[in-house]
Amino acid sequence: MILLGAAVLLVGRWLTPHTFHGAILQSPLPAQDFSLMSHVGQRVALSDLRGKIVLLYFGYTICPDVCPTTLAELAQARKLLGRDADQVQVLMITVDPERDTIPVLADYVVHFSSTFLGLRGTPDETAQVATYYGIYYEKHDSDSALGYLVDHTATVMVIDRNGYLRLVFPFGTPAEDMASDLQYLLRK
Amino acid sequence: MRLTVFCVLMGVLVLAACATATPTPTLAPAPKIAVEGMWGRPSPKIAQAGAFYMVIRNTGAAADKLTAARSSACTTVELHESYQMSNGTMGMRPVTGGTIEIPANGQVELKVGGLHIMCIDKKVEFNNGVKLPLTLVFAKSGEINVQVEIREQGM
């Protein structure tokens, strides 16, 4: 199934010029570097990942609908890339560092893929990185047994292998569409 | 002769009895609820909550309301909705008024990025293939028991 998916993507690329599914940044900008603690207990800098496509997502583990959906689609998109999956690194930065401790993040992201990296900053670091990428997030109180909830930008940012911010996938972009765009960026 | 009169009289009485025993059909419209396509995504054990999705159909001529839900798989069950704000920002909140209206001759889809039933403080692991009991409580239709299958979407 995965091989077939990859084959279809490949053939599709040869037959037609590529149409991006994600929103393209017409003048790609160098993605601002940052360094945050990862769920494996080491700091990871964006620049450490140069040479890979980085898919950057901001979310939190208590979010039961939007976040797991996006992470599951990202995992599926990687699978569709077959061997090229190794060229794609998914990063999830928590917008709820207060409750998403490193052990929580570790158990959470690995459920979707053992290759995903969960990142956690101090509140200040998190705010700084979010600002770099135009990410909005804000806690709001709720009547829910979950306590406060966090509104947050739910897009996925695509940073190419040279460290340029190239594409933005809106929430709900199917795995197949993301894989198609990633395949194109990897072949270019 | 007497017997014939008796029989006729009895017949009339029986017919009369039947006529009065038959209740006049009620004209008040009622909802008729059916629930299908129940599923939830496998979620990490550490994740405090999991979402359930489904389609609630109402083929009756009156609206109904989903007022609550409960499950032995969850400590608390709440009705929530995700909503989109500007610039791709998503938020989530308990549904306004605490209920979900199911219109007459209509349906409501509980789906990813929209309305969903939230299972908080999971008591079991949401592994692929697991089936979880869920009781939906409607204002008029009462309780409806369903099973929610945990599976990857689109399978």
Side-chain angles (χ1 to χ4, degrees):
Chain A
M1 188 62 201
I2 292 161
L3 282 176
L4 185 70
V8 167
L9 288 176
L10 215 58
V11 171
R13 192 181 62 85
W14 285 330
L15 295 178
T16 51
H18 185 75
T19 308
F20 279 103
H21 300 278
I24 314 168
L25 278 81
Q26 292 297 350
S27 312
L29 292 171
Q32 180 77 45
D33 197 18
F34 58 82
S35 159
L36 296 172
M37 186 57 75
S38 77
H39 79 261
V40 292
Q42 290 170 323
R43 286 187 85 84
V44 168
L46 181 65
S47 50
D48 296 343
L49 303 166
R50 195 64 51 82
K52 288 187 176 190
I53 289 182
V54 173
L55 302 179
L56 185 59
Y57 181 67
F58 291 74
Y60 67 116
T61 70
I62 286 175
C63 154
D65 179 38
V66 168
C67 303
T69 299
T70 303
L71 292 171
E73 291 289 331
L74 288 173
Q76 179 62 18
R78 272 185 92 260
K79 281 185 190 164
L80 289 171
L81 294 176
R83 279 189 193 175
D84 288 338
D86 290 347
Q87 314 269 334
V88 175
Q89 177 65 55
V90 173
L91 300 181
M92 170 178 152
I93 299 179
T94 178
V95 291
D96 187 11
E98 206 175 307
R99 292 183 292 190
D100 288 343
T101 60
I102 290 291
V104 168
L105 262 186
D107 284 354
Y108 187 78
V109 297
V110 167
H111 164 86
F112 298 96
S113 167
S114 58
T115 67
F116 286 8
L117 278 175
L119 301 180
R120 175 180 185 262
T122 61
D124 283 351
E125 285 174 329
T126 307
Q128 181 71 71
V129 179
T131 305
Y132 292 158
Y133 291 92
I135 299 294
Y136 164 88
Y137 66 101
E138 187 160 7
K139 278 193 217 175
H140 66 91
D141 290 329
S142 80
D143 299 334
S144 171
L146 290 174
Y148 68 83
L149 297 167
V150 187
D151 295 340
H152 63 96
T153 309
T155 51
V156 174
M157 268 140 296
V158 182
I159 298 161
D160 73 13
R161 290 187 287 186
N162 299 317
Y164 282 81
L165 186 56
R166 293 290 298 278
L167 277 177
V168 177
F169 291 128
F171 170 68
T173 306
E176 293 74 15
D177 291 355
M178 291 196 276
S180 162
D181 285 1
L182 296 173
Q183 193 90 44
Y184 177 78
L185 289 179
L186 284 168
R187 293 277 177 255
K188 254 192 106 184
Chain B
M1 180 62 188
R2 270 194 178 182
L3 191 61
T4 315
V5 168
F6 178 76
C7 285
V8 168
L9 276 173
M10 279 307 287
V12 168
L13 281 173
V14 166
L15 279 173
C18 284
T20 48
T22 308
T24 26
T26 171
L27 293 173
K32 193 176 176 206
I33 299 290
V35 187
E36 49 198 67
M38 297 74 69
W39 74 283
R41 194 183 296 285
S43 65
K45 194 178 177 183
I46 194 83
Q48 195 184 351
F52 296 150
Y53 309 105
M54 64 201 67
V55 177
I56 303 174
R57 290 189 204 287
N58 182 2
T59 52
D64 205 342
K65 273 180 187 171
L66 177 63
T67 58
R70 60 175 190 271
S71 171
S72 57
C74 328
T75 305
T76 309
V77 180
E78 295 179 359
L79 311 179
H80 275 236
E81 65 182 325
S82 296
Y83 52 93
Q84 187 130 19
M85 300 155 76
S86 57
N87 295 327
T89 298
M90 300 287 296
M92 189 178 72
R93 63 189 163 213
V95 292
T96 316
T99 62
I100 297 174
E101 173 97 6
I102 317 295
N105 295 308
Q107 67 176 46
V108 171
E109 195 178 352
L110 277 57
K111 61 182 180 187
V112 171
L115 292 166
H116 54 274
I117 291 174
M118 185 136 80
C119 173
I120 300 175
D121 294 320
K122 300 178 296 177
K123 293 182 185 171
V124 298
E125 289 197 43
F126 281 29
N127 293 329
N128 203 29
V130 165
K131 288 190 174 151
L132 306 173
L134 178 69
T135 301
L136 301 169
V137 185
F138 292 91
K140 292 179 188 164
S141 304
E143 296 190 353
I144 295 179
N145 293 311
V146 297
Q147 280 205 319
V148 180
E149 187 182 356
I150 301 301
R151 59 176 165 83
E152 299 292 349
Q153 189 180 16
M155 278 172 65

